[in-house]
Amino acid sequence: MTRKLPIIAVATAPGKAGVGVIRISGQNLNAITAALFQKKLAPRQANLLTLRDAAGQVIDQLIAIHFVAPASFTGEDVLELQCHGGPQLLELVMKRCLELGKDEGLVIAEPGEFTLRAYLNNKIDLAQAEAIADLIDAQSEAAVRGAARSLQGEFSNDINDLIEEITQLRILVESTLDFPEEEIEFLESAQARQRLSAVKAKLQALREGAKQGKILRDGVQLVLAGAPNVGKSSLLNRLAGEEVAIVTPIAGTTRDRVKESISIEGVPMHIIDTAGLRETADVVEAKGIERSWDAIRLADLVIFLSDTHSNQGQDDLKEQILAALPSKCPVLEVLNKADLLDQSSKAELKDTLLISAKTGDGIEALKQKILEIVGWGGPQEGAIVARRRHLDCLERAAEHIAKSEEFAANGNNSLELFAEELSLAQGRLGEITGKLLPDDLLGKIFSQFCIGK
Ligand code: GDP
C-alpha cells in the first residue's frame, strides 16, 4: 500500500459538468509534464494549454497547475488538469496521460490513495484523512461544519494535548521508578493523582464530544422491536410522517424489515422496523426475521413496543432481544394503543411511556425521550464529527486510565503498573491520529474512500 509510482485519477464526480479535474501525484512529475505539454510548468501557476493525441489532434484545451513537492495536497509533486467536464473527454485525457506517463510508471490510483499519500507524507493525520471522507459524505449542514473542524485539526489537537499530558505524567512516574531509593510518596508529592484526575476529566469531555460527533456523522440506528401486531409499522409511519410499511390487522404481515431514515431535530435516525419476530415455517418470513436479528445486533437504541392487550409471549421475545443486543445498547419500553385505554387504566400506567400510533398521542414525548437516551445534546458550537473507531479508542483509553487510577490508590507499590496503564492509554489515543496503527488497519480505512480522493 505504500507504492511509490505516480498515480492518476479523475477527482470530480462522474457525469457531465462544466469542469472535470484530473489529478496526478508522484515524486517528480517534470518528465510527465514535459511529455504532455512539451514544457516545464512554473509552480502554482494556472497555465492554459492544449493536450493533443498521438496523431496531433486536439483532445482538450485545459488549465494545468503544477504543485511542487512538498507544497501540495499529497506532499508529492501534483499536476492538476482542469479539463472540460465530459465523461468521454475525461476518459480520453486519462488515456493520453497514461500513454505518455508509461515510462514513468504512471498508474490509475486506488480508492483513497491520494489521501493515503497525504497521510504518509505527514500532511494530515489519520483523523483528518477520515474527516476528508466525512466532509464529502456529509448529509447535513451540521455534519459539513463538524467535518471541516475535524479536517482543520481541532479533534486531533485535543487528542494530541491529552497525549502530551499523559506523556508528562509518565515521565514523572518513570523517573521515580529509576530512583527507588528516594522514598518519597511519589503520587502525593508530584500531584500525580490530581493530574490523573485532570486527564480523566479531559478524556471524558472528549468522549462526550466524539459521541455527539458520531451521531452527527452516522445518525442513530434505531430498532423497532416487538411482537406481531403491536403497531410497529404504524409507529414507524407516524415517526416518518409517511406510509413506508404495510399496516394490516393480520399478524406477521410485515415480511421484511423496512429501513427508513428520518430526522428528529436534525439528528438522522435510521429506523428499522422488525418483521414480526416469531417462530415461522415460512421461508420468506424467516429471512426477514434473520435480518431483523442482524439489525438488532448493531442497534444504538431498541424501542420495544407492546400493546395494551396482547402481552402473550412477549416476555420470551424480550429475553431473546436483550441477549442479542450490543452490551451497552439501551432498550426503551413503549406501550402502544393508548387510545384503547380508559382514563383509570391510563392513570394506573402513569409511569409507562404510553403512545397511540393511531392518534399521534405521546409521539412528541417519545421523540424527546429518544434524543435524550441516545445522548444528543442539541446543536453545539465547535462540534466535530467522529467515527465508531474513534469512540472505541477513546473508550479503551478510558479503561486504561481507570485502571491506572486503581493502581495509584496502591501508592508507590504499584507504580510500575500505574505507568504501564498510562502507556497503554496513550497508545489507544495515538491510534486515533494514526500513530501506532498497524498497516492492515490503515489499508482498511483508506479502501473505504472513493477513487480520486
Ligand atoms: P406490527 O405488526 O407491529 O407492525 O403492527 P401494525 O402497525 O401492522 O398494526 C397492527 C394493527 O394495530 C393494525 O390494525 C393497526 O391499525 C393497529 N394499530 C396500530 N397502532 C394502533 C393504535 O395506536 N391504536 C389502535 N387502536 N390501533 C392501532
Side-chain angles (χ1 to χ4, degrees):
M1 66 178 270
T2 50
R3 59 186 180 165
K4 294 271 193 276
L5 296 173
I7 50 171
I8 183 168
V10 180
T12 38
K16 296 177 193 170
V19 179
V21 175
I22 287 175
R23 262 196 311 197
I24 303 177
S25 178
Q27 304 217 310
N28 181 341
L29 296 182
N30 283 334
I32 292 179
T33 311
L36 287 170
F37 305 115
Q38 295 78 49
K39 62 196 262 191
K40 190 166 184 275
L41 303 184
R44 294 176 162 265
Q45 275 185 18
N47 301 275
L48 183 64
L49 297 166
T50 305
L51 182 70
R52 295 174 188 276
D53 66 14
Q57 302 267 1
V58 174
I59 299 175
D60 196 14
Q61 192 175 47
L62 50 81
I63 288 175
I65 305 174
H66 190 182
F67 299 91
V68 177
S72 73
F73 170 59
T74 59
E76 301 178 324
D77 268 13
V78 169
L79 184 63
E80 196 175 291
L81 305 179
Q82 302 176 2
C83 314
H84 291 96
Q88 290 302 326
L89 169 65
L90 290 173
E91 185 85 343
L92 272 181
V93 176
M94 282 279 287
K95 206 171 131 207
R96 185 66 179 142
C97 290
L98 285 164
E99 228 167 73
L100 292 172
K102 200 167 162 225
D103 290 347
E104 301 296 316
L106 183 63
V107 287
I108 295 179
E110 285 175 2
E113 199 170 358
F114 288 92
T115 318
L116 172 63
R117 288 183 181 201
Y119 165 72
L120 292 173
N121 291 324
N122 293 321
K123 300 295 284 190
I124 48 174
D125 67 30
L126 189 57
Q128 289 173 304
E130 289 169 317
I132 293 179
D134 294 341
L135 186 59
I136 294 168
D137 292 337
Q139 304 288 323
S140 67
E141 187 183 324
V144 167
R145 294 188 189 286
R149 276 189 211 100
S150 293
L151 180 54
Q152 291 301 309
E154 290 192 20
F155 185 41
S156 307
N157 289 343
D158 286 345
I159 298 289
N160 289 335
D161 287 351
L162 195 55
I163 290 179
E164 179 55 29
E165 283 177 38
I166 297 177
T167 307
Q168 291 304 326
L169 201 49
R170 280 182 63 196
I171 290 172
L172 267 179
V173 187
E174 275 159 30
S175 56
T176 308
L177 288 174
D178 290 342
F179 301 100
E181 66 280 6
E182 292 185 17
E183 286 190 14
I184 44 165
E185 187 46 53
F186 159 76
L187 289 163
E188 302 306 335
S189 62
Q191 292 187 318
R193 277 186 230 266
Q194 287 91 320
R195 292 172 74 162
L196 188 62
S197 302
V199 163
K200 199 174 151 188
K202 266 200 180 155
L203 183 55
Q204 184 54 28
L206 267 178
R207 285 174 74 191
E208 282 303 316
K211 196 171 158 197
Q212 302 291 311
K214 161 122 186 0
I215 295 176
L216 209 55
R217 176 183 184 267
D218 298 336
V220 174
Q221 297 286 338
L222 199 154
V223 168
L224 254 183
N229 242 15
V230 294
K232 296 182 298 300
S233 311
S234 309
L235 174 58
L236 174 61
N237 290 341
R238 207 20 109 169
L239 290 170
E242 60 185 67
E243 290 281 310
V244 290
I246 321 149
V247 182
T248 92
I250 305 155
T253 42
T254 314
R255 285 298 183 89
D256 203 344
R257 70 188 161 87
V258 180
K259 193 168 174 178
E260 175 75 358
S261 292
I262 60 162
S263 133
I264 301 181
E265 289 187 9
V267 179
M269 302 264 165
H270 311 295
I271 304 182
I272 295 138
D273 177 18
T274 55
L277 295 169
R278 56 174 195 162
E279 294 289 322
T280 177
D282 181 316
V283 184
V284 181
E285 194 183 345
K287 266 217 157 109
I289 290 172
E290 192 38 52
R291 270 191 289 231
S292 299
W293 284 114
D294 290 343
I296 287 171
R297 286 178 202 112
L298 290 174
D300 293 310
L301 166 65
V302 170
I303 293 185
F304 194 87
L305 197 65
S306 50
D307 67 13
T308 46
H309 53 289
S310 63
N311 277 318
Q312 268 178 345
Q314 295 193 11
D315 286 345
D316 275 2
L317 182 67
K318 205 152 85 189
E319 288 299 309
Q320 264 179 294
I321 289 177
L322 290 177
L325 288 179
S327 59
K328 288 175 195 133
C329 178
V331 177
L332 177 60
E333 298 200 29
V334 179
L335 191 64
N336 189 30
K337 306 193 187 178
D339 54 294
L340 299 179
L341 293 173
D342 55 31
Q343 281 311 327
S344 66
S345 318
K346 273 191 194 166
E348 276 171 32
L349 291 165
K350 65 178 181 349
D351 295 330
T352 310
L353 193 48
L354 265 181
I355 60 159
S356 168
K358 190 173 179 180
T359 65
D361 264 8
I363 298 294
E364 196 44 47
L366 173 61
K367 286 184 177 177
Q368 292 309 320
K369 189 80 193 166
I370 292 171
L371 289 174
E372 184 194 317
I373 295 178
V374 300
W376 178 244
Q380 281 170 0
E381 281 286 308
I384 45 110
V385 293
R387 301 176 167 213
R388 181 169 292 278
R389 188 183 81 78
H390 304 150
L391 280 184
D392 288 347
C393 291
L394 288 170
E395 197 165 307
R396 281 154 62 205
E399 283 165 14
H400 290 301
I401 294 294
K403 277 197 198 141
S404 71
E405 219 175 16
E406 282 170 27
F407 291 125
N410 248 344
N412 275 18
N413 301 332
S414 305
L415 275 190
E416 275 183 42
L417 295 168
F418 175 72
E420 173 63 13
E421 291 300 333
L422 286 182
S423 154
L424 289 169
Q426 193 179 11
R428 296 291 85 80
L429 292 172
E431 283 179 16
I432 294 176
T433 49
K435 289 172 197 137
L436 308 168
L437 201 69
D439 256 17
D440 54 340
L441 212 63
L442 263 188
K444 221 169 157 184
I445 291 168
F446 282 97
S447 65
Q448 288 162 5
F449 283 54
C450 51
I451 297 260
K453 259 190 238 163

